[in-house]
Amino acid sequence: MSRTPSASPSPHALLRAATKEAYERVTVLLNASYADFSPEQQQRIRALVAGDAAASPARRAKPAKTAREPLPPRYWLPHTQETWSGRGRVPQTFLAWEGTVAHTEWKKHHPDERFPAYPG
């Protein structure tokens, strides 16, 4: 079977044709004006052509996340020994302690602090 002239090319064929055209345009541009680029730009172009950044930004693999060491405790509740690093959301035990009589008494002696500092 032959294709009819009215049939549109597949998206894959269109992409292949566009990629080929882009490659030819880049090649012509680099051949014509490579010397006009600054040394830094030439170095970046060489790195791209060498394959250091061959994958497009969308396709580049994300760097592996490094394991974070747990943060040392910054605050603690003496009566429960509960600790908190001071990062992220305030734990519910700390929020619950804020409304207690013990908190009110402690706050009288430490007006500029929200929670007791971790001893150490």
Side-chain angles (χ1 to χ4, degrees):
M1 287 189 152
S2 64
R3 289 188 173 213
T4 60
S6 63
S8 62
S10 71
H12 184 66
L14 289 173
L15 179 62
R16 199 173 18 196
T19 303
K20 182 179 179 183
E21 180 186 348
Y23 171 78
E24 290 169 358
R25 290 175 69 193
V26 167
T27 304
V28 167
L29 232 166
L30 284 176
N31 286 334
S33 58
Y34 182 78
D36 297 333
F37 288 107
S38 70
E40 294 84 19
Q41 290 171 328
Q42 289 178 0
Q43 184 177 6
R44 288 171 55 194
I45 291 169
R46 282 192 303 271
L48 287 169
V49 171
D52 292 345
S56 67
R59 292 185 180 174
R60 279 190 199 133
K62 293 181 181 177
K65 291 185 178 179
T66 57
R68 293 184 179 177
E69 293 182 24
L71 296 170
R74 188 171 170 188
Y75 304 108
W76 77 308
L77 298 178
H79 63 286
T80 62
Q81 305 301 312
E82 179 89 18
T83 61
W84 177 45
S85 67
R87 299 273 180 97
R89 291 185 176 182
V90 179
Q92 288 296 317
T93 52
F94 282 78
L95 293 174
W97 181 72
E98 276 188 309
T100 64
V101 174
H103 175 261
T104 307
E105 287 297 317
W106 177 82
K107 194 72 171 168
K108 286 180 187 176
H109 302 290
H110 305 88
D112 298 333
E113 298 176 37
R114 184 170 179 192
F115 299 116
Y118 185 75

